[in-house]
Amino acid sequence: MAPRGWSCWRWAARPRARLLPGAAFPFGFRQLLSTLELAPHICVVGSGPAGFYTAQHLLKHHPRAQVDIYEKQLVPFGLVRFGVAPDHPEVKNVINTFTQTAHSTRCSFKGNVTVGRDVSVSELQEAYHAVVLSYGAEDHRTLGIPGEELPGVISARDFVGWYNGLPENRKLAPNLNCDTALILGQGNVALDVARILLTPTELLEELREMINLPGSRPLLDPADFSGLEELIKEAPRPRKRLLELLMQTALKPPKAKEADKRAENPRAWGLRFLRSPQEVLPSPDGSRVAGIRLAVMRLEGSGQNAQAVPTGTVEDVPCGLVLSSVGYKSRPIDPRVPFDPKLGIIPNSEGRVLGVPGLYCSGWVKRGPTGVIATTMNDSFLTGEALLQDLEKGVLPLSPKLGYSIIEPLLKNRGVQPVSFEDWEKLDAQEVAQGQAAGKPREKLVDPQQMLHIIKQ
């Protein structure tokens, strides 16, 4: 069986010497030959995992596709660079795969271009045969409680961006001198944030790591875990292992030597369940956060039907820093692109944007901010496959389109300076060199003006 996408190019692949003069063919047949020789120009918006995996699938399964990847940051890789905790470098290894994709002669990276501001989606659709929106979830869900605007209340997304060198968060300046930091949420991001706060900078090493963190001790209420042995037997294996670890830590008293050692540790962390934030409490002068009021909840029902309901009791917890980790959400990118504000996604069917032929989406903006990088990879491949099917079936007519050749003068007239992948590699080399001088893998550049200056050198 011929590889995908090859059969539709067979006529163009035959030696031209065997073709009769053009005048000998009916007009429609000559037009077909001309169309078959056209390469589809595809634009991907966003250079995180969703964008690169979509581009990878298109390039791999269509021998003539030309893919341009647009990114609002000056640097590529999205959450792999700005979201993965610095003590999990192995997760960042996918950058090597993305770099191979970027080095393809049929792929081009256009950084420092904000779609929806510097160029509209409509303009991209005029220039490209297909546009794929893969810009992720760039915002955070708010708590919707009084006091949320106080200094010292920060979204976990911004905090992660700050310690990962995201330029827009470089001036965040969180207060790390307080005795207590309270994190609302217990997902992966919340655990990352807690681990980073607790870990000595010389030993930055998920939940299993936190239990064994040097200089830290876990504070878990045994009552929260009693009676779970039978309930977790049918749980999926990863969740079962997680709960078993928590139960062992909470219910099994440490030996005397270990207990004494833990008591000496200056830092502590704990998980509190069945608590719902009601209000952020201000300091006496109202200048910043001093605590948070939590409603104590209880479960009604069992299994999938269990619901947390208020008990009528509240609990005030003093703290100097509140990090909200209750989820990410996508933003609408362009008024002409359909968007569901409640779900925070672009309405779509298998990646095809509803009501807009030639427009596609992949990743979190397609399905919501769930899953890990492998989930995004499979999701992006499915979107890429849908696009290829539409090309194969003629749903996307291959009329002559010039791609970036049309967009480039528009950006120039608007004072936008696009950054190429070669420019990024120059910045990358600078970061590595600065890091080696400081005895670490890299020192991230966070000032866009400094980055542009390095590129121009």
Side-chain angles (χ1 to χ4, degrees):
M1 181 180 293
R4 170 173 295 284
W6 183 253
S7 60
C8 65
W9 300 106
R10 282 180 180 167
W11 287 107
R14 291 182 178 180
R16 293 187 182 275
R18 298 181 61 187
L19 297 176
L20 297 175
F25 291 101
F27 173 77
F29 190 72
R30 283 188 282 114
Q31 188 180 41
L32 173 64
L33 283 176
S34 175
T35 301
L36 287 173
E37 292 178 345
L38 288 174
H41 287 265
I42 303 167
C43 159
V44 174
V45 179
S47 69
F52 264 108
Y53 278 129
T54 302
Q56 175 186 324
H57 191 84
L58 294 170
L59 293 167
K60 180 179 180 180
H61 295 286
H62 198 299
R64 302 189 65 158
Q66 303 284 333
V67 180
D68 292 337
I69 302 175
Y70 288 77
E71 169 59 54
K72 73 172 187 176
Q73 303 290 342
L74 278 80
V75 298
F77 310 133
L79 281 182
V80 178
R81 175 177 169 92
F82 296 120
V84 175
D87 56 337
H88 284 175
E90 71 284 353
V91 180
K92 296 177 183 282
N93 288 338
V94 292
I95 285 177
N96 298 328
T97 301
F98 299 160
T99 298
Q100 291 178 8
T101 298
H103 283 164
S104 167
T105 57
R106 294 185 287 121
C107 183
S108 184
F109 173 76
K110 313 296 180 186
N112 199 33
V113 178
T114 301
V115 174
R117 185 192 69 188
D118 300 331
V119 60
S120 69
V121 172
S122 297
E123 288 170 329
L124 292 176
Q125 287 183 285
E126 288 293 321
Y128 292 89
H129 295 101
V131 175
V132 185
L133 302 175
S134 307
Y135 59 87
E138 300 179 301
D139 209 347
H140 66 278
R141 297 189 183 279
T142 59
L143 297 170
I145 60 175
E148 187 174 5
E149 74 290 345
L150 283 171
V153 182
I154 302 171
S155 75
R157 179 195 181 278
D158 290 348
F159 187 72
V160 169
W162 171 73
Y163 69 63
N164 260 323
L166 182 61
E168 65 197 56
N169 297 133
R170 69 187 189 278
K171 297 180 180 179
L172 191 64
N175 174 27
L176 301 180
N177 293 321
C178 58
D179 291 332
T180 303
L182 189 143
I183 303 169
L184 297 171
Q186 295 183 3
N188 288 337
V189 174
L191 291 175
D192 280 347
V193 167
R195 209 175 60 253
I196 296 300
L197 285 170
L198 291 166
T199 306
T201 53
E202 68 274 11
L203 189 60
L204 271 172
E205 283 200 318
E206 290 286 13
L207 181 60
R208 181 179 303 278
E209 295 163 338
M210 283 181 61
I211 289 175
N212 297 311
L213 275 178
S216 298
R217 64 188 188 276
L219 299 177
L220 301 176
D221 186 350
D224 288 334
F225 301 94
S226 62
L228 290 181
E229 292 86 350
E230 292 298 319
L231 294 176
I232 67 172
K233 285 184 177 179
E234 303 301 321
R237 188 166 180 267
R239 181 168 293 276
K240 182 179 179 181
R241 291 178 61 189
L242 174 66
L243 290 172
E244 286 175 343
L245 177 61
L246 287 170
M247 287 168 54
Q248 182 180 16
T249 304
L251 301 176
K252 185 178 179 181
K255 294 180 180 180
K257 186 176 180 179
E258 177 63 21
D260 291 341
K261 184 179 178 181
R262 286 187 180 181
E264 296 174 357
N265 291 336
R267 293 179 295 274
W269 65 274
L271 302 176
R272 300 299 300 274
F273 301 96
L274 294 174
R275 300 294 187 272
S276 177
Q278 300 298 296
E279 181 182 357
V280 177
L281 304 175
S283 59
D285 61 0
S287 64
R288 61 177 303 103
V289 60
I292 190 162
R293 178 161 295 160
L294 304 172
V296 180
M297 315 292 281
R298 61 181 172 83
L299 288 179
E300 282 190 356
S302 60
Q304 298 290 336
N305 297 321
Q307 289 187 329
V309 297
T311 64
T313 303
V314 296
E315 181 180 87
D316 290 350
V317 180
C319 58
L321 178 64
V322 174
L323 297 167
S324 169
S325 185
V326 294
Y328 290 75
K329 67 177 182 179
S330 296
R331 300 170 179 168
I333 194 172
D334 190 297
R336 297 185 182 182
V337 177
F339 190 79
D340 185 329
K342 185 176 181 180
L343 298 177
I345 62 171
I346 295 174
N348 69 92
S349 175
E350 298 179 333
R352 300 176 178 92
V353 177
L354 297 182
V356 191
L359 191 61
Y360 301 80
C361 58
S362 66
W364 283 3
V365 76
K366 170 187 174 184
R367 70 179 192 277
T370 60
V372 293
I373 290 179
T375 317
T376 297
M377 176 184 71
N378 293 327
D379 168 85
S380 302
F381 287 173
L382 290 174
T383 292
E385 189 65 20
L387 196 160
L388 291 174
Q389 289 174 1
D390 290 350
L391 280 172
E392 205 169 79
K393 294 176 182 178
V395 176
L396 295 177
L398 285 183
S399 56
K401 292 197 174 185
L402 300 178
Y404 186 65
S405 298
I406 300 296
I407 302 300
E408 184 176 23
L410 295 180
L411 297 177
K412 185 176 181 180
N413 290 339
R414 294 165 187 173
V416 180
Q417 181 184 336
V419 171
S420 68
F421 200 78
E422 291 74 20
D423 292 333
W424 149 244
E425 291 182 317
K426 193 173 182 179
L427 296 174
D428 180 47
Q430 179 70 19
E431 289 186 347
V432 171
Q434 290 183 179
Q436 288 177 344
K440 51 186 179 179
R442 72 170 60 236
E443 180 71 37
K444 283 186 178 177
L445 300 166
V446 297
D447 185 343
Q449 294 305 316
Q450 182 190 9
M451 293 184 195
L452 290 173
H453 178 72
I454 293 172
I455 289 171
K456 291 177 182 178
Q457 289 180 338

